[in-house]
Amino acid sequence: MNTADLLEPHPEGIYCPAGDFWIDPMRPKPRALITHGHADHARAGHGAVLASRETLEIMAIRYGEDFTQHRQVAEGEIRIGGVNVSFHPAGHILGSCQIRIRPDKGPVIVASGDYSRRANPVCAPFEPLDCDIFITEATFGLPVFRHPDPLGEAAKLLKSMADFPDRPHIIGGYALGKTQRLIALLRQAGYEAPIGLHGALMRLSRYHQEKGIPLGDLVAAADAPQLIIAPPSALGSPWAQRFPDPVLGYASGWMGVRSRAKARRVELPLVISDHVDWPEVTATLREIAPEEVWITHGAEDGLLRWCALQGMTARPLHLEGYEDSDNEPAEPEA
């Protein structure tokens, strides 16, 4: 079986003719395999969805129980048409997975989705997989992107709270993944006081707690003494104006770019990313050493150039609809 029989890149996603399924399609399809629950990868309306248990549960929380006609938990290796597929941890958010496609004959392909190599207390770590073709993101695929220690960024927030005890700190963080990781990092750093949450962040944070992830005491934003986490869209809204003289922060890999922090009027940028930075994506490619590298989205040119210098065959897929950031569309305010 040749590569064209296994995977066909299309603008709206990657199609596997041999299995008659799509990976993270942007539009409703009869059969979809979903890497993780972020809105730019997990859409409602597919006929059937195969994903990790957590991703299926997250999709049901976000879109309702009828988000698909049929759902199946990915456990072990599953035969679909002429290929075997299996799901493996990606280290991005809770339930995030890489998808390995193994034909009876032909190249083994791993679609990594979004992934991270940093320790993340809210999800399982990335699992390196042997493969012939590795499909990677390049969100931070330029040498300038070198993310700091996330625990150090949490300590930066705690120092600001100690320096300005009379000012509430409102930190922008997306509802799925970033909010829970920031909370867990703060708990690891020794912060035990209640943390206030904007209403749009509470349900998914409670879900993490239901899955056994210790996040401590979470309260409504109005009941928090000093620290509140909210969707980034809320930072400049009337909702934030109810708090007197707040310190506005934002947890994102893009906060390492000063112009982005300035544009959002962020006083306290926290460089915390759930994606691989430049040293991590290049180290991952060296470790896996695939025959080919396919790049879904992001800073494709930088990673293509690096692959060429390393003697690796690489190609961009030109997929549409994925966010070139470590976040997702804004949650509704509540």
Side-chain angles (χ1 to χ4, degrees), residues 19 40 76 81 91 112 124 132 137 151-152 160 165 172 177 222 233 268 311:
D40 57 339
S112 62
D132 301 299
E137 57 158 309
L151 275 173
S160 178
S233 60
L268 183 63

Side-chain angles (χ1 to χ4, degrees), residues 145-217:
F145 291 115
R146 300 170 184 269
H147 300 321
D149 178 8
L151 275 173
E153 296 300 285
K156 183 194 300 184
L157 170 56
L158 294 178
K159 183 179 186 302
S160 178
M161 293 168 61
D163 290 342
F164 303 100
D166 297 328
R167 299 179 65 190
H169 285 60
I170 305 177
I171 310 300
Y174 280 81
L176 176 57
K178 190 60 59 67
T179 289
Q180 297 79 30
R181 187 183 185 195
L182 177 57
I183 294 169
L185 288 169
L186 291 167
R187 301 309 189 195
Q188 283 187 347
Y191 187 72
E192 298 179 352
I195 295 175
L197 295 184
H198 184 287
L201 311 185
M202 189 64 78
R203 178 64 189 94
L204 283 168
S205 296
R206 295 297 188 202
Y207 171 74
H208 280 68
Q209 291 179 312
E210 292 165 9
K211 303 303 286 188
I213 296 170
L215 299 181
D217 190 7

Side-chain angles (χ1 to χ4, degrees), residues 223-308:
D223 299 328
Q226 191 181 12
L227 176 60
I228 300 158
I229 304 176
S233 60
L235 298 184
S237 73
W239 177 89
Q241 295 175 8
R242 72 183 73 175
F243 301 97
D245 190 26
V247 174
L248 298 182
Y250 187 12
S252 167
W254 291 108
M255 287 299 97
V257 181
R258 291 183 181 179
S259 61
R260 295 215 179 194
K262 184 177 180 180
R264 287 183 171 269
R265 299 180 180 179
V266 171
E267 183 175 350
L268 183 63
L270 303 173
V271 187
I272 300 175
S273 176
D274 300 325
H275 294 252
V276 283
D277 63 6
W278 178 257
E280 291 162 350
V281 68
T282 54
T284 299
L285 295 181
R286 287 194 184 99
E287 179 180 7
I288 295 173
E291 293 182 7
E292 293 186 37
V293 177
W294 294 2
I295 305 169
T296 57
H297 64 286
E300 299 168 345
D301 290 345
L303 195 54
L304 286 169
R305 175 63 176 163
W306 181 87
C307 287

